């Protein structure tokens, strides 16, 4: 409705709204631009902010999204996820004002429902007959579900070794799943080549598709509402290529543009100890992110992206972190699993290890003195723990077998239980 064009983030060349993946001039990353002046004056915009929009979930913010015709919305009820105070975990980490945005409450149990809903809706509006996505698991599951909802055939390309619980979701939605050897980058290259060759819509959850990132920014609008217009001091997000972080920041930038907030939150990206090209560049004070070559095996498989073939994605995320006054750090696997367990034990939330890197980010930044005890901190919990329950398996644990009340009393009297 108010989206006017696609613009290159590098050279600022603009093209009409269309299914394009790169700038035709410099091969740069494209983003959707809007007529913000008209949008800010429109009744539909103010209706969305008042909560009187005719649409629900993240599509309450339909005027701020790039879809032209709302009849093309493909939704499963995504968005409007809980923002939960975490007092017990907050006391443990020394951050009393800790909040958790539970994206695992989305229909396919991850934040990927937001970009998938946006991307499939746009594909439907463009009249695309088939979609493809490269995924480390969650995006493939989400895209397959929304493609099924829209009646579109879907190919999902994932690295070998992707947890079967994630692959099973895509298969159950009728998608054709293809494995590639090596890292996520290999899946990315195959999906992109197929999309270009066959005219399919590529919904790979990097910055390749300029429309999917727009779905991510709805998180900012929701947090703004849920915190009653307070701006967090820090927002902590697990990142591979980083579209979730960049998209969330764009949402806050729009809120500031409309005069609804006066400052931006500091954005924190957390990467895995196995794959951390953006964190490396941040620590070395570099301006460009380089491809990551080497081992990519980690419990945080959702962010194990070496950026081979598209390091500019990492550079864009690096720029976003720095522009917000944020931080970028690395989470060790052992500490990640420990934080996942601590969250479940203190707040009752079961999250996949990738999401648990964000909890480690709070611990690390608090210890380093970046986060103060009075700061308002929001962590995006990117996916439910049932996406990868085997990561928390303890092979040494053997539950006792008890058949009678007497046996239970004997067990309870044992001091070692």
């Amino acid at each position: 409705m108010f989206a006017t064009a696609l613009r290159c983030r590098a050279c600022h060349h603009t093209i009409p709204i269309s299914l394009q993946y790169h700038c035709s001039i410099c091969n740069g990353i494209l983003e959707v631009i809007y007529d913000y002046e008209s949008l800010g004056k429109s009744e539909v915009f103010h209706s969305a902010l008042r909560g009187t929009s005719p649409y629900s979930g993240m599509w309450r913010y339909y005027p701020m999204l790039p879809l032209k015709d709302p009849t093309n919305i493909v939704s499963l009820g995504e968005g409007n996820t809980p923002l939960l105070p975490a007092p017990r975990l907050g006391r443990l980490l020394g951050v009393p004002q800790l909040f958790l945005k539970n994206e695992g409450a989305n229909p396919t149990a991850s934040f990927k429902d937001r970009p998938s809903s946006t991307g499939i809706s746009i594909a439907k509006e463009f009249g695309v007959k088939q979609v493809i996505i490269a995924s480390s698991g969650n995006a493939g599951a989400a895209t397959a579900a929304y493609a099924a909802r829209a009646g579109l055939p879907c190919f999902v390309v994932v690295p070998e070794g992707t947890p079967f619980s994630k692959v099973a979701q895509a298969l159950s939605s009728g998608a054709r799943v293809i494995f590639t050897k090596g890292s996520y980058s290999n899946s990315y290259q195959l999906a992109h080549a197929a999309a270009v060759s066959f005219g399919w819509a590529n919904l790979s959850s990097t910055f390749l598709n300029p429309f999917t990132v727009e779905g991510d920014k709805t998180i900012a609008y929701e947090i703004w509402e849920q915190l009653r217009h307070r701006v967090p001091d820090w927002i902590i997000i697990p990142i591979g290529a980083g579209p979730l972080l960049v998209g969330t920041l764009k949402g806050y930038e729009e809120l500031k543009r409309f005069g609804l907030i006066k400052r931006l939150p500091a954005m924190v990206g957390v990467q895995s100890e196995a794959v951390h090209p953006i964190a490396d560049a941040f620590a070395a004070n570099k301006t460009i992110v380089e491809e990551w070559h080497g081992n990519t095996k980690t419990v945080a498989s959702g962010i194990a992206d070496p950026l081979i073939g598209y390091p500019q994605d990492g550079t864009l995320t690096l720029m976003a972190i720095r522009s917000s006054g944020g931080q970028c750090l690395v989470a060790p696997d052992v500490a990640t699993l420990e934080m996942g367990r601590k969250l479940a034990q203190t707040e009752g939330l079961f999250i996949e290890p990738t999401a648990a890197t964000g909890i480690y980010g709070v611990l690390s930044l608090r210890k380093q003195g970046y986060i103060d005890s009075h700061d308002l901190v929001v962590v995006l919990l990117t996916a439910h723990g049932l996406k990868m329950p085997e990561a928390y398996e303890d092979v040494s644990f053997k539950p006792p077998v008890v058949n009678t009340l007497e046996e239970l009393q004997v067990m309870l009297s044992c001091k070692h239980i």
Side-chain angles (χ1 to χ4, degrees):
M1 182 180 290
F2 294 96
T4 58
L6 299 179
R7 182 174 61 196
C8 177
R9 292 178 181 266
C11 73
H12 305 298
H13 174 66
T14 61
I15 61 173
I17 297 287
S18 56
L19 198 61
Q20 298 293 323
Y21 303 110
H22 293 110
C23 174
S24 59
I25 303 297
C26 71
N27 206 41
I29 297 170
L30 298 172
E31 70 167 329
V32 181
I33 59 174
Y34 298 81
D35 178 356
Y36 285 114
E37 184 176 355
S38 296
L39 175 55
K41 295 176 181 178
S42 68
E43 174 55 31
V44 288
F45 172 76
H46 291 284
S47 175
L49 297 183
R50 289 194 303 266
T52 56
S53 168
Y55 307 104
S56 61
M58 79 168 204
W59 287 102
R60 288 177 296 152
Y61 310 110
Y62 158 70
M64 299 80 143
L65 294 171
L67 198 67
K68 184 179 296 184
D69 183 353
T71 63
N72 289 318
I73 291 175
V74 180
S75 176
L76 290 169
E78 59 291 327
N80 198 28
T81 55
L83 182 69
L84 302 170
R88 297 188 68 218
L89 181 64
R91 284 194 296 271
L92 185 67
L93 300 178
V95 184
Q97 291 192 89
L98 177 63
F99 289 81
L100 308 172
K101 182 66 167 164
N102 185 16
E103 289 295 289
N106 277 303
T108 76
S110 87
F111 82 92
K112 296 292 187 180
D113 288 3
R114 296 178 189 265
S116 295
S117 178
T118 308
I120 290 291
S121 298
I122 289 291
K124 180 181 176 182
E125 186 158 271
F126 286 152
V128 173
K129 302 302 181 185
Q130 185 143 329
V131 300
I132 190 168
I133 183 170
S135 171
S136 59
N138 287 333
T143 298
Y146 285 86
R149 180 77 163 170
L152 292 174
C154 177
F155 272 89
V156 176
V157 188
V158 298
E160 278 188 319
T162 298
F164 182 74
S165 53
K166 297 181 181 182
V167 175
Q169 276 190 286
L171 290 171
S172 69
S173 295
R176 296 187 64 180
V177 176
I178 299 171
F179 288 98
T180 58
K181 295 185 180 298
S183 70
Y184 169 80
S185 291
N186 293 342
S187 300
Y188 172 95
Q189 300 297 348
L190 177 58
H192 184 52
V196 172
S197 297
F198 305 139
W200 299 344
N202 189 342
L203 302 185
S204 295
S205 58
T206 57
F207 292 101
L208 186 66
N209 188 308
F211 303 105
T212 56
V213 182
E214 298 300 296
D216 292 325
K217 76 184 184 186
T218 59
I219 288 177
Y221 284 94
E222 289 182 13
I223 294 174
W224 174 75
E225 284 190 1
Q226 291 165 326
L227 287 178
R228 298 184 179 181
H229 308 167
R230 289 185 296 165
V231 178
D233 295 294
W234 304 87
I235 296 182
I236 302 178
I237 304 175
I239 58 170
L244 178 58
L245 186 148
V246 172
T248 302
L249 180 59
K250 183 174 182 177
Y252 274 102
E253 289 171 338
E254 290 180 350
L255 287 166
K256 190 172 183 233
R257 179 189 289 265
F258 293 129
L260 298 171
I261 59 174
K262 294 182 178 180
R263 64 176 179 87
L264 300 174
M267 308 299 294
V268 177
V270 186
Q271 298 210 280
S272 158
E273 67 173 352
V275 191
H276 45 89
I278 302 173
D280 262 12
F282 183 88
N285 203 29
K286 294 180 179 179
T287 57
I288 295 175
V289 173
E290 299 175 353
E291 297 176 351
W292 182 270
H293 294 277
N295 173 51
T296 59
K297 186 174 177 58
T298 170
V299 295
S301 59
I303 51 175
D305 190 344
L307 304 177
I308 297 173
Y310 47 99
Q312 68 273 16
D313 285 23
T315 299
L316 175 58
T317 301
L318 177 69
M319 292 169 58
I321 292 170
R322 287 210 175 111
S323 72
S324 71
Q327 293 287 323
C328 193
L329 62 139
V330 172
D333 275 5
V334 172
T336 293
L337 293 174
E338 180 184 358
M339 288 298 98
R341 294 188 180 99
K342 288 292 185 186
L343 173 61
Q345 292 163 7
T346 56
E347 304 294 347
L349 292 172
F350 185 38
I351 59 173
E352 72 168 5
T354 294
T357 62
I359 304 299
Y360 174 80
V362 179
L363 174 68
S364 179
L365 293 179
R366 183 72 180 96
K367 284 184 176 179
Q368 294 178 65
Y370 289 108
I371 294 178
D372 291 328
S373 60
H374 63 270
D375 284 350
L376 175 57
V377 180
V378 173
V379 181
L380 301 193
L381 303 182
T382 48
H384 199 285
L386 291 177
K387 293 282 190 170
M388 198 176 170
E390 66 276 7
Y392 295 103
E393 183 179 3
D394 183 354
V395 295
S396 65
F397 174 67
K398 293 183 179 179
V401 178
V402 176
N403 293 317
T404 67
L405 179 60
E406 289 74 17
E407 290 175 351
L408 177 61
Q409 290 173 323
V410 170
M411 185 198 77
L412 294 175
S413 67
C414 295
K415 293 184 179 180
H416 67 274
I417 296 298

